[in-house]
Amino acid sequence: MGLRILVLSVLLGLFYRASDINCSTVHGNTTDHRSLLDFKGAIRADPRGALSSWNENIHYCMWSGIKCSTWHPERVTMLNLANLSLTGHITPSLGNLTFLWKLKLPNNLLSGQLPPFNRLIRLRVLYQHDNLLQGSIPNALTNCSELVGLDLSSNMLVGSIPQNIGPLSNLIGIDLSNNSLIGNIPPTFGNNTYLEELRLTHNQLKGRIPEDLGKLLNMGENRAVFLGQNRLSGRVPTTFLNLSKLIILDLSTNKLRGTLPYDIGNLSVSLQWLLLGANNLSGTVPPSIGALKNLTVLDLGGNNFVGPIPYSIGNLAKLQRLYLSNNYFDGW
């Protein structure tokens, strides 16, 4: 999957160290108990026996993959059933686990639609990647205002990205890649000022790249924007020059056109990957590109560039991979 979404692991670790509970009876919160049993009933295949402990002889706070709160006894705060080859679907009843902080069901064979989860106002981590989920991304997800990490990648999701994802201002990582999403990239992504990684690759998104993405000024440790393998058009936004902490910029395999910004060398001095290949970019490559001293990968191949290859590229001492083929450079 490449870079996995970065979440504030230290912060969440503090939450979950305080979340263990030693339960010895079957009694507890009726809503949480029934919601979990309803989810188990929707699982058609459990080849690893992951849910074998989910029975009336054991308190649900001690079931595999479950953690409950000590501050709010017998309320479920975490459901983690990753990498278990579970077959079935995700029941809307999980939306009744209103104290849930972390919901992780990735790398299974879960199908059907993603429930709205509009009541999970405490949810911080929602990882459902690498499943067989269908339908659209629920608009009601925007009620989960505490979300820090959202990963719905590698499913079969369709439709457009909800415009009101922008109000989820606590998001650090968003991964919606490897789906069949259509429509435009919501400009409201620019409101996610804590965002460290945005992955929308391998979809069918179209239209211009929003200039508002240049508002992501506070991008933290990971600092990556992946928009490749879509149908995006228009020019490379000059506002990307504002992303002073960017490490990876992937705009490859789209329908971008026009010339590169003459001051492209003013991109982040931390930039390591610049992927612009397989577009319709034209004109000359600005000599300022040689100012990106930390580049290890530069892909300009498969465009319509003309003129000389800038000598300044020879200044990129850390460069490991350089792609310039299928252009119209002088002497090629």
Side-chain angles (χ1 to χ4, degrees), residues 86-107:
L86 297 174
T87 300
H89 65 272
I90 303 172
T91 54
S93 62
L94 292 185
N96 296 326
L97 302 175
T98 53
F99 279 76
L100 204 62
W101 287 341
K102 188 174 185 179
L103 177 54
K104 291 185 64 177
L105 301 172
N107 290 294

Side-chain angles (χ1 to χ4, degrees), residues 29-322:
N29 182 273
T30 303
T31 300
D32 284 15
H33 186 208
R34 290 178 177 174
S35 298
L36 293 172
L37 288 177
D38 187 53
F39 171 73
K40 179 184 179 182
I43 300 300
R44 300 190 302 274
D46 177 13
R48 302 185 186 182
L51 304 183
S52 59
S53 65
W54 288 39
N55 60 70
E56 299 293 348
N57 296 321
I58 303 174
H59 194 287
Y60 60 83
C61 287
M62 300 180 68
W63 290 353
S64 175
I66 300 296
K67 282 190 177 181
C68 290
S69 173
T70 50
W71 300 323
H72 304 279
E74 303 182 330
R75 298 309 306 266
V76 175
T77 57
M78 184 180 78
L79 172 55
N80 183 0
L81 296 172
N83 311 309
L84 294 172
S85 301
L86 297 174
T87 300
H89 65 272
I90 303 172
T91 54
S93 62
L94 292 185
N96 296 326
L97 302 175
T98 53
F99 279 76
L100 204 62
W101 287 341
K102 188 174 185 179
L103 177 54
K104 291 185 64 177
L105 301 172
N107 290 294
N108 285 294
L109 298 169
L110 301 172
S111 58
Q113 294 196 334
L114 184 69
F117 295 143
N118 56 300
R119 299 182 62 204
L120 301 185
I121 59 174
R122 295 174 174 84
L123 194 66
R124 295 178 178 270
V125 176
L126 179 59
Y127 286 178
Q128 311 291 326
H129 58 86
D130 292 277
N131 276 291
L132 303 171
L133 298 177
Q134 302 149 338
S136 58
I137 300 173
N139 280 303
L141 267 185
T142 56
N143 288 353
C144 305
S145 59
E146 297 298 316
L147 267 181
V148 173
L150 174 63
D151 191 346
L152 305 178
S153 63
S154 298
N155 278 288
M156 303 166 65
L157 298 173
V158 297
S160 59
I161 301 172
Q163 293 287 326
N164 49 0
I165 276 185
L168 299 178
S169 56
N170 293 311
L171 276 171
I172 294 174
I174 304 172
D175 192 346
L176 305 178
S177 62
N178 294 292
N179 282 290
S180 297
L181 300 173
I182 61 172
N184 299 327
I185 297 175
T188 50
F189 275 130
N191 297 332
N192 299 97
T193 52
Y194 294 105
L195 202 61
E196 296 181 3
E197 181 170 312
L198 174 63
R199 296 184 70 107
L200 303 178
T201 52
H202 291 283
N203 280 290
Q204 300 174 33
L205 300 171
K206 61 180 182 179
R208 294 177 178 270
I209 299 173
E211 296 278 342
D212 284 354
L213 291 187
K215 295 179 181 178
L216 302 175
L217 298 177
N218 294 326
M219 296 188 78
E221 294 299 325
N222 227 20
R223 305 163 299 214
V225 175
F226 294 88
L227 305 180
Q229 289 79 47
N230 280 289
R231 301 174 181 177
L232 300 170
S233 57
R235 295 175 174 268
V236 176
T238 57
T239 53
F240 279 166
L241 300 175
N242 297 330
L243 303 180
S244 59
K245 299 179 181 179
L246 196 63
I247 287 180
I248 297 175
L249 178 59
D250 178 9
L251 306 179
S252 63
T253 317
N254 278 292
K255 298 181 179 181
L256 300 176
R257 57 177 177 78
T259 58
L260 294 179
Y262 75 92
D263 52 351
I264 194 169
N266 290 336
L267 276 169
S268 166
V269 294
S270 302
L271 195 67
Q272 297 178 17
W273 289 18
L274 178 58
L275 309 179
L276 301 174
N279 279 288
N280 295 313
L281 298 170
S282 57
T284 59
V285 177
S288 66
I289 202 166
L292 301 174
K293 302 293 187 181
N294 287 302
L295 276 185
T296 60
V297 180
L298 174 59
D299 182 7
L300 302 176
N303 282 288
N304 297 310
F305 291 119
V306 298
I309 298 171
Y311 285 109
S312 60
I313 289 181
N315 298 330
L316 302 176
K318 296 182 180 181
L319 201 61
Q320 299 174 13
R321 286 181 283 171
L322 173 63

